[in-house]
Amino acid sequence: MFQKRTDLALEARELWQESAQRTSRLSGVKAVKTRQEGYPVTRVDILDQRGEEALGKPVGSYLTIDLTTFWQRKADFFERAVRVVGGQLKALLPAEGSVLVIGLGNAAMTPDAVGPLTLDSVLITRHLIAAMPRQFAGFRPVAVQRTGVLGTTGVESAEAVRGMVEQVKPGLVIAVDALASRRMGRVCATVQLSDTGIVPGSGVGNHRAALNAETLGVPVIALGVPTVVDAATLAADLLEESGVEQVDEDKLRENGTFMVTTRDIDQQVRDLAKVVGYGINWALQDLEIEEINALLS
């Protein structure tokens, strides 16, 4: 059977339901839908090994924020998006401790630039607190790292992050990366947060060493934005939706190395990277969005 590719736990659950041809409760998995700041939020908790095996993802919590209406640009759309991302992230964070924010990906390749671009909107405070502890006493220490990619650095992202963690000794790592979705409707319209870490490059099938609590020795929160769809997965869905009963899996696999994205990916990635960066600030610092604007300007 052709294996459709997705990094989203929400879609992995959908695929299980489709393959099982039922909508009954999946053992070891709990899903809850809510709404915050006008945006739908789906929380998928993988509770045990049964859930792991069914969805192909480790035990943990996965929160998917649907930002489809963000692009309608209605009143306060940016501020509301920042608050929903920041609010969901804050619920996963410890109350205090220093933080290292990692921007994974290739800044020279737009669909893979979410991580590096996000760091442009993150307030970096670790050095300020060390230099002026009294003036910045109310801030949480934050440092950032752009890892680059193996092809341009010769260093695995996991190796670079491990070295930084050993030196900086953060209490928490937040890793931001681009993901792959199963559906075009979720490309640049979704943010996934999880407390299970991340595997750099997994979105395009280029799996590298994992960044998680086991490999780094500190908790790792992952934020991902789907920017591409695997061409074979997209084709399989379109064929099924058009009523084709027999899908040629060999033909699909021949095109399995192609990834599809939107024509205005440049603007969408820039906008969502800013939302994620501001959301991180909103979760980590006791600041309003206007104050974040002033400090970043």
Side-chain angles (χ1 to χ4, degrees):
M1 182 177 179
F2 178 73
Q3 185 69 40
K4 297 177 181 178
R5 179 182 293 172
T6 180
D7 290 325
L8 302 179
L10 171 68
E11 292 184 336
R13 180 172 174 267
E14 290 175 352
L15 288 170
W16 178 88
Q17 291 174 330
E18 291 172 13
S19 65
Q21 295 185 337
R22 59 188 177 185
T23 58
S24 60
R25 181 176 179 274
L26 172 59
S27 297
V29 176
K30 179 182 178 182
V32 178
K33 294 183 179 181
T34 58
R35 184 175 288 269
Q36 184 178 347
E37 298 289 343
Y39 294 110
V41 179
T42 302
R43 177 174 180 137
V44 175
D45 291 309
I46 300 179
L47 306 173
D48 54 32
Q49 187 175 354
R50 293 173 300 173
E52 278 192 347
E53 293 173 352
L55 300 191
K57 296 185 179 299
V59 168
S61 298
Y62 301 80
L63 299 105
T64 305
I65 303 168
D66 183 350
L67 294 178
T68 302
T69 58
F70 175 87
W71 301 110
Q72 297 174 9
R73 301 187 182 279
K74 294 182 179 179
D76 300 325
F77 72 100
F78 176 78
E79 291 79 3
R80 289 187 293 106
V82 169
R83 288 194 293 266
V84 68
V85 172
Q88 296 300 320
L89 174 59
K90 194 169 186 177
L92 297 175
L93 299 176
E96 56 185 21
S98 61
V99 177
L100 175 63
V101 184
I102 305 297
L104 299 166
N106 186 349
M109 187 179 296
T110 303
D112 197 29
V114 172
L117 287 176
T118 293
L119 299 191
D120 292 340
S121 297
V122 173
L123 288 170
I124 303 169
T125 59
R126 179 174 177 266
H127 63 303
L128 298 174
I129 295 170
M132 297 176 283
R134 184 172 62 84
Q135 292 88 336
F136 288 89
F139 287 78
R140 195 164 184 167
V142 176
V144 304
Q145 180 186 20
R146 292 170 174 82
T147 62
V149 291
L150 182 63
T152 59
T153 65
V155 179
E156 288 273 8
S157 294
E159 294 174 334
V161 176
R162 274 199 301 270
M164 184 66 80
V165 167
E166 290 175 4
Q167 293 298 316
V168 175
K169 294 180 173 53
L172 173 78
V173 168
I174 297 175
V176 184
D177 200 5
L179 304 177
S181 174
R182 170 215 184 166
R183 299 197 183 279
M184 287 302 301
R186 290 194 174 108
V187 170
C188 290
T190 307
V191 176
Q192 176 176 271
L193 301 88
S194 72
D195 59 4
T196 61
I198 198 167
V199 179
S202 60
V204 293
N206 185 24
H207 297 268
R208 317 307 307 178
L211 302 176
N212 53 35
E214 183 178 349
T215 60
L216 298 182
V218 295
V220 179
I221 305 297
L223 279 85
V225 175
T227 59
V228 295
V229 174
D230 172 60
T233 297
L234 177 61
D237 276 339
L238 291 174
L239 288 169
E240 291 172 4
E241 289 170 6
S242 65
V244 176
E245 296 182 2
Q246 190 70 29
V247 177
D248 190 332
E249 295 181 14
D250 292 332
K251 282 289 185 182
L252 290 175
R253 289 194 177 92
E254 285 178 11
N255 298 291
T257 57
F258 290 93
M259 308 302 290
V260 181
T261 192
T262 64
R263 62 184 177 183
D264 52 350
I265 186 66
D266 303 70
Q267 185 63 51
Q268 290 184 336
V269 164
R270 284 195 298 270
D271 287 355
L272 286 185
K274 186 175 180 180
V275 168
V276 173
Y278 272 59
I280 291 172
N281 296 328
W282 199 90
L284 293 178
Q285 312 294 357
D286 186 19
L287 296 171
E288 294 302 324
I289 294 174
E290 295 78 8
E291 294 172 312
I292 297 171
N293 277 329
L295 289 168
L296 287 174
S297 62

mmCIF file with all atom_site columns, all heavy atoms in Angstrom, residues 270-294:
data_model
loop_
_atom_site.group_PDB
_atom_site.id
_atom_site.type_symbol
_atom_site.label_atom_id
_atom_site.label_alt_id
_atom_site.label_comp_id
_atom_site.label_asym_id
_atom_site.label_entity_id
_atom_site.label_seq_id
_atom_site.pdbx_PDB_ins_code
_atom_site.Cartn_x
_atom_site.Cartn_y
_atom_site.Cartn_z
_atom_site.occupancy
_atom_site.B_iso_or_equiv
_atom_site.pdbx_formal_charge
_atom_site.auth_seq_id
_atom_site.auth_comp_id
_atom_site.auth_asym_id
_atom_site.auth_atom_id
_atom_site.pdbx_PDB_model_num
ATOM 1   N N   . ARG A 1 270 ? 7.592  34.371 4.871  1.00 0.00 ? 270 ARG A N   1
ATOM 2   C CA  . ARG A 1 270 ? 8.010  35.547 5.654  1.00 0.00 ? 270 ARG A CA  1
ATOM 3   C C   . ARG A 1 270 ? 6.968  35.912 6.700  1.00 0.00 ? 270 ARG A C   1
ATOM 4   O O   . ARG A 1 270 ? 7.293  36.185 7.864  1.00 0.00 ? 270 ARG A O   1
ATOM 5   C CB  . ARG A 1 270 ? 8.274  36.738 4.723  1.00 0.00 ? 270 ARG A CB  1
ATOM 6   C CG  . ARG A 1 270 ? 9.574  36.678 3.964  1.00 0.00 ? 270 ARG A CG  1
ATOM 7   C CD  . ARG A 1 270 ? 9.932  38.038 3.370  1.00 0.00 ? 270 ARG A CD  1
ATOM 8   N NE  . ARG A 1 270 ? 8.942  38.487 2.404  1.00 0.00 ? 270 ARG A NE  1
ATOM 9   C CZ  . ARG A 1 270 ? 8.992  38.216 1.103  1.00 0.00 ? 270 ARG A CZ  1
ATOM 10  N NH1 . ARG A 1 270 ? 9.987  37.503 0.630  1.00 0.00 ? 270 ARG A NH1 1
ATOM 11  N NH2 . ARG A 1 270 ? 8.067  38.668 0.281  1.00 0.00 ? 270 ARG A NH2 1
ATOM 12  N N   . ASP A 1 271 ? 5.703  35.917 6.291  1.00 0.00 ? 271 ASP A N   1
ATOM 13  C CA  . ASP A 1 271 ? 4.636  36.304 7.219  1.00 0.00 ? 271 ASP A CA  1
ATOM 14  C C   . ASP A 1 271 ? 4.501  35.314 8.368  1.00 0.00 ? 271 ASP A C   1
ATOM 15  O O   . ASP A 1 271 ? 4.363  35.715 9.538  1.00 0.00 ? 271 ASP A O   1
ATOM 16  C CB  . ASP A 1 271 ? 3.309  36.425 6.477  1.00 0.00 ? 271 ASP A CB  1
ATOM 17  C CG  . ASP A 1 271 ? 3.245  37.663 5.593  1.00 0.00 ? 271 ASP A CG  1
ATOM 18  O OD1 . ASP A 1 271 ? 4.197  38.463 5.629  1.00 0.00 ? 271 ASP A OD1 1
ATOM 19  O OD2 . ASP A 1 271 ? 2.250  37.827 4.857  1.00 0.00 ? 271 ASP A OD2 1
ATOM 20  N N   . LEU A 1 272 ? 4.520  34.019 8.057  1.00 0.00 ? 272 LEU A N   1
ATOM 21  C CA  . LEU A 1 272 ? 4.326  33.025 9.118  1.00 0.00 ? 272 LEU A CA  1
ATOM 22  C C   . LEU A 1 272 ? 5.557  32.905 10.008 1.00 0.00 ? 272 LEU A C   1
ATOM 23  O O   . LEU A 1 272 ? 5.434  32.619 11.204 1.00 0.00 ? 272 LEU A O   1
ATOM 24  C CB  . LEU A 1 272 ? 3.967  31.668 8.515  1.00 0.00 ? 272 LEU A CB  1
ATOM 25  C CG  . LEU A 1 272 ? 2.542  31.578 7.962  1.00 0.00 ? 272 LEU A CG  1
ATOM 26  C CD1 . LEU A 1 272 ? 2.237  30.162 7.495  1.00 0.00 ? 272 LEU A CD1 1
ATOM 27  C CD2 . LEU A 1 272 ? 1.512  31.998 9.000  1.00 0.00 ? 272 LEU A CD2 1
ATOM 28  N N   . ALA A 1 273 ? 6.738  33.120 9.456  1.00 0.00 ? 273 ALA A N   1
ATOM 29  C CA  . ALA A 1 273 ? 7.939  33.121 10.292 1.00 0.00 ? 273 ALA A CA  1
ATOM 30  C C   . ALA A 1 273 ? 7.866  34.251 11.319 1.00 0.00 ? 273 ALA A C   1
ATOM 31  O O   . ALA A 1 273 ? 8.277  34.083 12.477 1.00 0.00 ? 273 ALA A O   1
ATOM 32  C CB  . ALA A 1 273 ? 9.190  33.266 9.428  1.00 0.00 ? 273 ALA A CB  1
ATOM 33  N N   . LYS A 1 274 ? 7.316  35.388 10.917 1.00 0.00 ? 274 LYS A N   1
ATOM 34  C CA  . LYS A 1 274 ? 7.153  36.498 11.864 1.00 0.00 ? 274 LYS A CA  1
ATOM 35  C C   . LYS A 1 274 ? 6.128  36.145 12.928 1.00 0.00 ? 274 LYS A C   1
ATOM 36  O O   . LYS A 1 274 ? 6.332  36.445 14.118 1.00 0.00 ? 274 LYS A O   1
ATOM 37  C CB  . LYS A 1 274 ? 6.731  37.760 11.110 1.00 0.00 ? 274 LYS A CB  1
ATOM 38  C CG  . LYS A 1 274 ? 6.672  38.999 11.995 1.00 0.00 ? 274 LYS A CG  1
ATOM 39  C CD  . LYS A 1 274 ? 6.363  40.254 11.180 1.00 0.00 ? 274 LYS A CD  1
ATOM 40  C CE  . LYS A 1 274 ? 6.305  41.491 12.083 1.00 0.00 ? 274 LYS A CE  1
ATOM 41  N NZ  . LYS A 1 274 ? 6.013  42.719 11.306 1.00 0.00 ? 274 LYS A NZ  1
ATOM 42  N N   . VAL A 1 275 ? 5.033  35.500 12.542 1.00 0.00 ? 275 VAL A N   1
ATOM 43  C CA  . VAL A 1 275 ? 4.028  35.060 13.518 1.00 0.00 ? 275 VAL A CA  1
ATOM 44  C C   . VAL A 1 275 ? 4.655  34.116 14.536 1.00 0.00 ? 275 VAL A C   1
ATOM 45  O O   . VAL A 1 275 ? 4.456  34.252 15.752 1.00 0.00 ? 275 VAL A O   1
ATOM 46  C CB  . VAL A 1 275 ? 2.843  34.370 12.809 1.00 0.00 ? 275 VAL A CB  1
ATOM 47  C CG1 . VAL A 1 275 ? 1.947  33.661 13.840 1.00 0.00 ? 275 VAL A CG1 1
ATOM 48  C CG2 . VAL A 1 275 ? 2.027  35.378 12.018 1.00 0.00 ? 275 VAL A CG2 1
ATOM 49  N N   . VAL A 1 276 ? 5.431  33.140 14.055 1.00 0.00 ? 276 VAL A N   1
ATOM 50  C CA  . VAL A 1 276 ? 6.051  32.170 14.963 1.00 0.00 ? 276 VAL A CA  1
ATOM 51  C C   . VAL A 1 276 ? 7.070  32.852 15.875 1.00 0.00 ? 276 VAL A C   1
ATOM 52  O O   . VAL A 1 276 ? 7.118  32.596 17.082 1.00 0.00 ? 276 VAL A O   1
ATOM 53  C CB  . VAL A 1 276 ? 6.717  31.029 14.161 1.00 0.00 ? 276 VAL A CB  1
ATOM 54  C CG1 . VAL A 1 276 ? 7.517  30.111 15.083 1.00 0.00 ? 276 VAL A CG1 1
ATOM 55  C CG2 . VAL A 1 276 ? 5.661  30.218 13.417 1.00 0.00 ? 276 VAL A CG2 1
ATOM 56  N N   . GLY A 1 277 ? 7.881  33.754 15.315 1.00 0.00 ? 277 GLY A N   1
ATOM 57  C CA  . GLY A 1 277 ? 8.863  34.461 16.126 1.00 0.00 ? 277 GLY A CA  1
ATOM 58  C C   . GLY A 1 277 ? 8.214  35.302 17.209 1.00 0.00 ? 277 GLY A C   1
ATOM 59  O O   . GLY A 1 277 ? 8.629  35.271 18.379 1.00 0.00 ? 277 GLY A O   1
ATOM 60  N N   . TYR A 1 278 ? 7.189  36.058 16.840 1.00 0.00 ? 278 TYR A N   1
ATOM 61  C CA  . TYR A 1 278 ? 6.460  36.865 17.827 1.00 0.00 ? 278 TYR A CA  1
ATOM 62  C C   . TYR A 1 278 ? 5.743  35.962 18.840 1.00 0.00 ? 278 TYR A C   1
ATOM 63  O O   . TYR A 1 278 ? 5.642  36.309 20.024 1.00 0.00 ? 278 TYR A O   1
ATOM 64  C CB  . TYR A 1 278 ? 5.451  37.776 17.127 1.00 0.00 ? 278 TYR A CB  1
ATOM 65  C CG  . TYR A 1 278 ? 5.998  39.110 16.697 1.00 0.00 ? 278 TYR A CG  1
ATOM 66  C CD1 . TYR A 1 278 ? 7.079  39.192 15.826 1.00 0.00 ? 278 TYR A CD1 1
ATOM 67  C CD2 . TYR A 1 278 ? 5.453  40.292 17.162 1.00 0.00 ? 278 TYR A CD2 1
ATOM 68  C CE1 . TYR A 1 278 ? 7.589  40.423 15.412 1.00 0.00 ? 278 TYR A CE1 1
ATOM 69  C CE2 . TYR A 1 278 ? 5.946  41.533 16.762 1.00 0.00 ? 278 TYR A CE2 1
ATOM 70  C CZ  . TYR A 1 278 ? 7.022  41.585 15.893 1.00 0.00 ? 278 TYR A CZ  1
ATOM 71  O OH  . TYR A 1 278 ? 7.518  42.804 15.500 1.00 0.00 ? 278 TYR A OH  1
ATOM 72  N N   . GLY A 1 279 ? 5.236  34.829 18.379 1.00 0.00 ? 279 GLY A N   1
ATOM 73  C CA  . GLY A 1 279 ? 4.583  33.889 19.295 1.00 0.00 ? 279 GLY A CA  1
ATOM 74  C C   . GLY A 1 279 ? 5.545  33.363 20.342 1.00 0.00 ? 279 GLY A C   1
ATOM 75  O O   . GLY A 1 279 ? 5.183  33.197 21.516 1.00 0.00 ? 279 GLY A O   1
ATOM 76  N N   . ILE A 1 280 ? 6.780  33.091 19.923 1.00 0.00 ? 280 ILE A N   1
ATOM 77  C CA  . ILE A 1 280 ? 7.810  32.651 20.873 1.00 0.00 ? 280 ILE A CA  1
ATOM 78  C C   . ILE A 1 280 ? 8.076  33.747 21.900 1.00 0.00 ? 280 ILE A C   1
ATOM 79  O O   . ILE A 1 280 ? 8.164  33.481 23.114 1.00 0.00 ? 280 ILE A O   1
ATOM 80  C CB  . ILE A 1 280 ? 9.096  32.258 20.120 1.00 0.00 ? 280 ILE A CB  1
ATOM 81  C CG1 . ILE A 1 280 ? 8.865  30.975 19.310 1.00 0.00 ? 280 ILE A CG1 1
ATOM 82  C CG2 . ILE A 1 280 ? 10.259 32.066 21.096 1.00 0.00 ? 280 ILE A CG2 1
ATOM 83  C CD1 . ILE A 1 280 ? 10.009 30.622 18.379 1.00 0.00 ? 280 ILE A CD1 1
ATOM 84  N N   . ASN A 1 281 ? 8.200  34.985 21.439 1.00 0.00 ? 281 ASN A N   1
ATOM 85  C CA  . ASN A 1 281 ? 8.400  36.101 22.380 1.00 0.00 ? 281 ASN A CA  1
ATOM 86  C C   . ASN A 1 281 ? 7.229  36.227 23.347 1.00 0.00 ? 281 ASN A C   1
ATOM 87  O O   . ASN A 1 281 ? 7.419  36.451 24.546 1.00 0.00 ? 281 ASN A O   1
ATOM 88  C CB  . ASN A 1 281 ? 8.553  37.418 21.604 1.00 0.00 ? 281 ASN A CB  1
ATOM 89  C CG  . ASN A 1 281 ? 9.788  37.449 20.724 1.00 0.00 ? 281 ASN A CG  1
ATOM 90  O OD1 . ASN A 1 281 ? 10.810 36.844 21.051 1.00 0.00 ? 281 ASN A OD1 1
ATOM 91  N ND2 . ASN A 1 281 ? 9.692  38.135 19.599 1.00 0.00 ? 281 ASN A ND2 1
ATOM 92  N N   . TRP A 1 282 ? 6.028  36.124 22.808 1.00 0.00 ? 282 TRP A N   1
ATOM 93  C CA  . TRP A 1 282 ? 4.829  36.273 23.627 1.00 0.00 ? 282 TRP A CA  1
ATOM 94  C C   . TRP A 1 282 ? 4.776  35.199 24.718 1.00 0.00 ? 282 TRP A C   1
ATOM 95  O O   . TRP A 1 282 ? 4.330  35.458 25.843 1.00 0.00 ? 282 TRP A O   1
ATOM 96  C CB  . TRP A 1 282 ? 3.592  36.189 22.740 1.00 0.00 ? 282 TRP A CB  1
ATOM 97  C CG  . TRP A 1 282 ? 2.345  36.754 23.346 1.00 0.00 ? 282 TRP A CG  1
ATOM 98  C CD1 . TRP A 1 282 ? 1.894  38.031 23.263 1.00 0.00 ? 282 TRP A CD1 1
ATOM 99  C CD2 . TRP A 1 282 ? 1.379  36.048 24.136 1.00 0.00 ? 282 TRP A CD2 1
ATOM 100 N NE1 . TRP A 1 282 ? 0.705  38.173 23.954 1.00 0.00 ? 282 TRP A NE1 1
ATOM 101 C CE2 . TRP A 1 282 ? 0.368  36.969 24.496 1.00 0.00 ? 282 TRP A CE2 1
ATOM 102 C CE3 . TRP A 1 282 ? 1.269  34.727 24.568 1.00 0.00 ? 282 TRP A CE3 1
ATOM 103 C CZ2 . TRP A 1 282 ? -0.731 36.608 25.262 1.00 0.00 ? 282 TRP A CZ2 1
ATOM 104 C CZ3 . TRP A 1 282 ? 0.177  34.363 25.337 1.00 0.00 ? 282 TRP A CZ3 1
ATOM 105 C CH2 . TRP A 1 282 ? -0.813 35.302 25.675 1.00 0.00 ? 282 TRP A CH2 1
ATOM 106 N N   . ALA A 1 283 ? 5.249  33.987 24.383 1.00 0.00 ? 283 ALA A N   1
ATOM 107 C CA  . ALA A 1 283 ? 5.236  32.890 25.350 1.00 0.00 ? 283 ALA A CA  1
ATOM 108 C C   . ALA A 1 283 ? 6.350  33.019 26.395 1.00 0.00 ? 283 ALA A C   1
ATOM 109 O O   . ALA A 1 283 ? 6.167  32.629 27.551 1.00 0.00 ? 283 ALA A O   1
ATOM 110 C CB  . ALA A 1 283 ? 5.368  31.554 24.621 1.00 0.00 ? 283 ALA A CB  1
ATOM 111 N N   . LEU A 1 284 ? 7.481  33.570 25.984 1.00 0.00 ? 284 LEU A N   1
ATOM 112 C CA  . LEU A 1 284 ? 8.648  33.586 26.866 1.00 0.00 ? 284 LEU A CA  1
ATOM 113 C C   . LEU A 1 284 ? 8.760  34.845 27.719 1.00 0.00 ? 284 LEU A C   1
ATOM 114 O O   . LEU A 1 284 ? 9.260  34.790 28.850 1.00 0.00 ? 284 LEU A O   1
ATOM 115 C CB  . LEU A 1 284 ? 9.933  33.447 26.035 1.00 0.00 ? 284 LEU A CB  1
ATOM 116 C CG  . LEU A 1 284 ? 10.152 32.116 25.321 1.00 0.00 ? 284 LEU A CG  1
ATOM 117 C CD1 . LEU A 1 284 ? 11.448 32.171 24.516 1.00 0.00 ? 284 LEU A CD1 1
ATOM 118 C CD2 . LEU A 1 284 ? 10.196 30.959 26.311 1.00 0.00 ? 284 LEU A CD2 1
ATOM 119 N N   . GLN A 1 285 ? 8.330  35.973 27.178 1.00 0.00 ? 285 GLN A N   1
ATOM 120 C CA  . GLN A 1 285 ? 8.519  37.239 27.872 1.00 0.00 ? 285 GLN A CA  1
ATOM 121 C C   . GLN A 1 285 ? 7.172  37.842 28.279 1.00 0.00 ? 285 GLN A C   1
ATOM 122 O O   . GLN A 1 285 ? 6.171  37.626 27.616 1.00 0.00 ? 285 GLN A O   1
ATOM 123 C CB  . GLN A 1 285 ? 9.263  38.236 26.966 1.00 0.00 ? 285 GLN A CB  1
ATOM 124 C CG  . GLN A 1 285 ? 10.496 37.683 26.292 1.00 0.00 ? 285 GLN A CG  1
ATOM 125 C CD  . GLN A 1 285 ? 11.632 37.319 27.249 1.00 0.00 ? 285 GLN A CD  1
ATOM 126 O OE1 . GLN A 1 285 ? 11.541 37.521 28.461 1.00 0.00 ? 285 GLN A OE1 1
ATOM 127 N NE2 . GLN A 1 285 ? 12.710 36.789 26.710 1.00 0.00 ? 285 GLN A NE2 1
ATOM 128 N N   . ASP A 1 286 ? 7.188  38.609 29.354 1.00 0.00 ? 286 ASP A N   1
ATOM 129 C CA  . ASP A 1 286 ? 5.976  39.272 29.832 1.00 0.00 ? 286 ASP A CA  1
ATOM 130 C C   . ASP A 1 286 ? 5.815  40.592 29.080 1.00 0.00 ? 286 ASP A C   1
ATOM 131 O O   . ASP A 1 286 ? 5.996  41.687 29.631 1.00 0.00 ? 286 ASP A O   1
ATOM 132 C CB  . ASP A 1 286 ? 6.066  39.503 31.337 1.00 0.00 ? 286 ASP A CB  1
ATOM 133 C CG  . ASP A 1 286 ? 4.771  40.071 31.916 1.00 0.00 ? 286 ASP A CG  1
ATOM 134 O OD1 . ASP A 1 286 ? 3.728  39.950 31.241 1.00 0.00 ? 286 ASP A OD1 1
ATOM 135 O OD2 . ASP A 1 286 ? 4.814  40.638 33.024 1.00 0.00 ? 286 ASP A OD2 1
ATOM 136 N N   . LEU A 1 287 ? 5.491  40.483 27.786 1.00 0.00 ? 287 LEU A N   1
ATOM 137 C CA  . LEU A 1 287 ? 5.413  41.659 26.928 1.00 0.00 ? 287 LEU A CA  1
ATOM 138 C C   . LEU A 1 287 ? 4.161  41.588 26.058 1.00 0.00 ? 287 LEU A C   1
ATOM 139 O O   . LEU A 1 287 ? 3.712  40.502 25.687 1.00 0.00 ? 287 LEU A O   1
ATOM 140 C CB  . LEU A 1 287 ? 6.635  41.731 25.999 1.00 0.00 ? 287 LEU A CB  1
ATOM 141 C CG  . LEU A 1 287 ? 8.011  41.920 26.652 1.00 0.00 ? 287 LEU A CG  1
ATOM 142 C CD1 . LEU A 1 287 ? 9.095  41.731 25.602 1.00 0.00 ? 287 LEU A CD1 1
ATOM 143 C CD2 . LEU A 1 287 ? 8.130  43.292 27.311 1.00 0.00 ? 287 LEU A CD2 1
ATOM 144 N N   . GLU A 1 288 ? 3.633  42.746 25.714 1.00 0.00 ? 288 GLU A N   1
ATOM 145 C CA  . GLU A 1 288 ? 2.558  42.824 24.747 1.00 0.00 ? 288 GLU A CA  1
ATOM 146 C C   . GLU A 1 288 ? 3.166  42.990 23.343 1.00 0.00 ? 288 GLU A C   1
ATOM 147 O O   . GLU A 1 288 ? 4.354  43.316 23.200 1.00 0.00 ? 288 GLU A O   1
ATOM 148 C CB  . GLU A 1 288 ? 1.629  43.997 25.073 1.00 0.00 ? 288 GLU A CB  1
ATOM 149 C CG  . GLU A 1 288 ? 0.869  43.821 26.372 1.00 0.00 ? 288 GLU A CG  1
ATOM 150 C CD  . GLU A 1 288 ? 0.025  42.556 26.404 1.00 0.00 ? 288 GLU A CD  1
ATOM 151 O OE1 . GLU A 1 288 ? -0.531 42.181 25.344 1.00 0.00 ? 288 GLU A OE1 1
ATOM 152 O OE2 . GLU A 1 288 ? -0.069 41.933 27.481 1.00 0.00 ? 288 GLU A OE2 1
ATOM 153 N N   . ILE A 1 289 ? 2.353  42.779 22.329 1.00 0.00 ? 289 ILE A N   1
ATOM 154 C CA  . ILE A 1 289 ? 2.860  42.787 20.959 1.00 0.00 ? 289 ILE A CA  1
ATOM 155 C C   . ILE A 1 289 ? 3.447  44.147 20.593 1.00 0.00 ? 289 ILE A C   1
ATOM 156 O O   . ILE A 1 289 ? 4.473  44.232 19.910 1.00 0.00 ? 289 ILE A O   1
ATOM 157 C CB  . ILE A 1 289 ? 1.745  42.367 19.981 1.00 0.00 ? 289 ILE A CB  1
ATOM 158 C CG1 . ILE A 1 289 ? 1.371  40.907 20.256 1.00 0.00 ? 289 ILE A CG1 1
ATOM 159 C CG2 . ILE A 1 289 ? 2.181  42.554 18.528 1.00 0.00 ? 289 ILE A CG2 1
ATOM 160 C CD1 . ILE A 1 289 ? 0.195  40.393 19.472 1.00 0.00 ? 289 ILE A CD1 1
ATOM 161 N N   . GLU A 1 290 ? 2.831  45.247 21.071 1.00 0.00 ? 290 GLU A N   1
ATOM 162 C CA  . GLU A 1 290 ? 3.357  46.585 20.785 1.00 0.00 ? 290 GLU A CA  1
ATOM 163 C C   . GLU A 1 290 ? 4.762  46.760 21.380 1.00 0.00 ? 290 GLU A C   1
ATOM 164 O O   . GLU A 1 290 ? 5.634  47.383 20.783 1.00 0.00 ? 290 GLU A O   1
ATOM 165 C CB  . GLU A 1 290 ? 2.421  47.658 21.342 1.00 0.00 ? 290 GLU A CB  1
ATOM 166 C CG  . GLU A 1 290 ? 1.053  47.710 20.691 1.00 0.00 ? 290 GLU A CG  1
ATOM 167 C CD  . GLU A 1 290 ? 0.117  46.612 21.199 1.00 0.00 ? 290 GLU A CD  1
ATOM 168 O OE1 . GLU A 1 290 ? 0.488  45.902 22.172 1.00 0.00 ? 290 GLU A OE1 1
ATOM 169 O OE2 . GLU A 1 290 ? -0.977 46.453 20.631 1.00 0.00 ? 290 GLU A OE2 1
ATOM 170 N N   . GLU A 1 291 ? 4.977  46.173 22.564 1.00 0.00 ? 291 GLU A N   1
ATOM 171 C CA  . GLU A 1 291 ? 6.291  46.272 23.203 1.00 0.00 ? 291 GLU A CA  1
ATOM 172 C C   . GLU A 1 291 ? 7.313  45.433 22.445 1.00 0.00 ? 291 GLU A C   1
ATOM 173 O O   . GLU A 1 291 ? 8.489  45.826 22.322 1.00 0.00 ? 291 GLU A O   1
ATOM 174 C CB  . GLU A 1 291 ? 6.176  45.809 24.657 1.00 0.00 ? 291 GLU A CB  1
ATOM 175 C CG  . GLU A 1 291 ? 5.314  46.708 25.507 1.00 0.00 ? 291 GLU A CG  1
ATOM 176 C CD  . GLU A 1 291 ? 5.045  46.131 26.892 1.00 0.00 ? 291 GLU A CD  1
ATOM 177 O OE1 . GLU A 1 291 ? 4.668  44.939 26.985 1.00 0.00 ? 291 GLU A OE1 1
ATOM 178 O OE2 . GLU A 1 291 ? 5.217  46.864 27.883 1.00 0.00 ? 291 GLU A OE2 1
ATOM 179 N N   . ILE A 1 292 ? 6.890  44.269 21.941 1.00 0.00 ? 292 ILE A N   1
ATOM 180 C CA  . ILE A 1 292 ? 7.789  43.450 21.133 1.00 0.00 ? 292 ILE A CA  1
ATOM 181 C C   . ILE A 1 292 ? 8.194  44.205 19.874 1.00 0.00 ? 292 ILE A C   1
ATOM 182 O O   . ILE A 1 292 ? 9.373  44.204 19.471 1.00 0.00 ? 292 ILE A O   1
ATOM 183 C CB  . ILE A 1 292 ? 7.126  42.107 20.770 1.00 0.00 ? 292 ILE A CB  1
ATOM 184 C CG1 . ILE A 1 292 ? 6.840  41.292 22.035 1.00 0.00 ? 292 ILE A CG1 1
ATOM 185 C CG2 . ILE A 1 292 ? 7.996  41.297 19.807 1.00 0.00 ? 292 ILE A CG2 1
ATOM 186 C CD1 . ILE A 1 292 ? 6.009  40.049 21.802 1.00 0.00 ? 292 ILE A CD1 1
ATOM 187 N N   . ASN A 1 293 ? 7.221  44.856 19.241 1.00 0.00 ? 293 ASN A N   1
ATOM 188 C CA  . ASN A 1 293 ? 7.508  45.674 18.053 1.00 0.00 ? 293 ASN A CA  1
ATOM 189 C C   . ASN A 1 293 ? 8.588  46.716 18.353 1.00 0.00 ? 293 ASN A C   1
ATOM 190 O O   . ASN A 1 293 ? 9.535  46.904 17.585 1.00 0.00 ? 293 ASN A O   1
ATOM 191 C CB  . ASN A 1 293 ? 6.244  46.386 17.575 1.00 0.00 ? 293 ASN A CB  1
ATOM 192 C CG  . ASN A 1 293 ? 5.368  45.511 16.706 1.00 0.00 ? 293 ASN A CG  1
ATOM 193 O OD1 . ASN A 1 293 ? 5.854  44.645 15.996 1.00 0.00 ? 293 ASN A OD1 1
ATOM 194 N ND2 . ASN A 1 293 ? 4.057  45.728 16.770 1.00 0.00 ? 293 ASN A ND2 1
ATOM 195 N N   . ALA A 1 294 ? 8.420  47.391 19.477 1.00 0.00 ? 294 ALA A N   1
ATOM 196 C CA  . ALA A 1 294 ? 9.359  48.462 19.831 1.00 0.00 ? 294 ALA A CA  1
ATOM 197 C C   . ALA A 1 294 ? 10.762 47.907 20.079 1.00 0.00 ? 294 ALA A C   1
ATOM 198 O O   . ALA A 1 294 ? 11.769 48.502 19.662 1.00 0.00 ? 294 ALA A O   1
ATOM 199 C CB  . ALA A 1 294 ? 8.856  49.192 21.070 1.00 0.00 ? 294 ALA A CB  1
#
